[in-house]
Amino acid sequence: MLEVANRSAYNEDHEAFRETVRKVFAEHMEPHLDKHEEEGIVPRSAWKALGEAGMLCPTISEENGGLGLDFGFNCVLTEELAYLGSAAGFTLQNDITVNYFERLGSPEQKEKYIPGMISGDVITAIAMTEPGAGSDLQGIRTTAVEDGNHLVINGSKTYITNGQNADVVIVVAKTDPGAGAKGTSLILVDAGTPGFARGRNLDKIGQHSADTSELFFEDVRVPKTNILGGENRGFIHLMEELPQERLSIAVSAMGGAQRAFDEAVKFTKERKAFGSTVFQFQNTKFTLADLSAKLQVGWAHLDWAIARHLRGELTTGEASAAKLWHTEMQWEMVDACLQLHGGAGYMNEYPIARLWRDARVQRIYGGTSEIMKEVVSREI
């Protein structure tokens, strides 16, 4: 169980919500983690269970059928999911895609999708990355060409979270190829639309329970009313959401780092070697003391960042710095904690192995650590 004392970012309501999250995860997620890993996907039944418990899209306003809670409730769920050791795509829907629908959607789009996103009946994805365009979103090649009152989409996307499960995909495409970044739009494509095809569920190093897919668009025809937000304003809309996305990854990193540390403490206190527990060796104690100090600093900084975001003050540079520091710290943490497990750490039956595998991509998606340094440097 994730136990971090004296959290300054949360109040009693947040902690009550945490108890609900733990109960739902204990019933619908924890017993099935290995199955989710083996099958490479979290079933829709789990999404429905979270929806019924009010755990999906809790920040949606009451006006749009939601609970109207603050982003701190999302953070609680993200922490608990990361501590559990699951890579389920709930946080993508809670922290990223639903904001696009609520902030940019037309009344018709909101009515069509948001109720299902809250209940778990509608699973969403956002398709940005392409085989030739990762962190450089200006380099996308997928096009959406106007044809009367419709757009015809051609291109491909890869590494798309929730790609297999998704009922609707927010596709980033060029609607004005000559305008560079200023010529992109966000376009909604429903599952089953002719010409839209899912590729394979990608075979990843880690995060096996997250369905991550290739998506293909061949003369996919959708009405122009499927544009989400302003035409040719896609890049601007994406930039507006990046601080929250990067903060979400930092939150996840702290949850995973804490679980790795707790597993290492438990293992070294139980494991015997040379007549004593591994924990009693000075190297073990000093290593854990150093990691404990980093966790103390990490939780304090994370609460600072969450509080700033809740006040609407977190800058792009600050969010990028948070993602950079927390994900790099997470990797240091899981690697050191695996080392403390010795040979057992290399065995998949131990949770540390999964935590180690799953952590590696945190320094890549949402903007690589190298890109984060570039963004941070712009505010110096």
Side-chain angles (χ1 to χ4, degrees), residues 43 45 105 144 168 200 202 224 233 240 244 264 276 290 298 305 345 349 363:
S45 58
V168 59
R200 58 199 173 99
L202 296 171
K224 288 188 68 176
R233 292 184 59 81
E240 290 168 343
Q244 182 162 297
S276 68
D290 183 54
E349 65 187 275
R363 299 156 62 207

Side-chain angles (χ1 to χ4, degrees), residues 146 148 179 276 306 343:
E146 188 173 333
S276 68
I306 292 171

Side-chain angles (χ1 to χ4, degrees), residues 79-136:
E79 288 175 6
E80 293 294 330
L81 188 67
Y83 192 83
L84 180 67
S86 172
F90 306 134
T91 54
L92 175 79
Q93 184 142 312
N94 281 3
D95 300 354
I96 301 172
T97 58
V98 75
N99 287 2
Y100 289 101
F101 283 94
E102 181 164 50
R103 189 168 61 86
L104 306 172
S106 66
E108 294 77 18
Q109 290 169 341
K110 291 179 181 179
E111 183 179 356
K112 180 178 180 180
Y113 297 109
I114 287 180
M117 294 175 71
I118 294 171
S119 68
D121 291 299
V122 173
I123 299 173
T124 58
I126 183 165
M128 293 185 270
T129 304
E130 297 184 1
S135 294
D136 180 17

Side-chain angles (χ1 to χ4, degrees), residues 37-55:
E37 289 277 301
E38 292 167 5
E39 297 182 350
I41 198 167
V42 174
R44 301 183 75 93
S45 58
W47 286 80
K48 286 286 290 178
L50 265 67
E52 290 172 6
M55 291 165 53

Side-chain angles (χ1 to χ4, degrees), residues 305-315 318:
I306 292 171
R308 280 186 63 78
H309 185 59
L310 291 178
R311 296 194 300 267
E313 298 172 359
L314 190 70
T315 68
E318 290 169 348

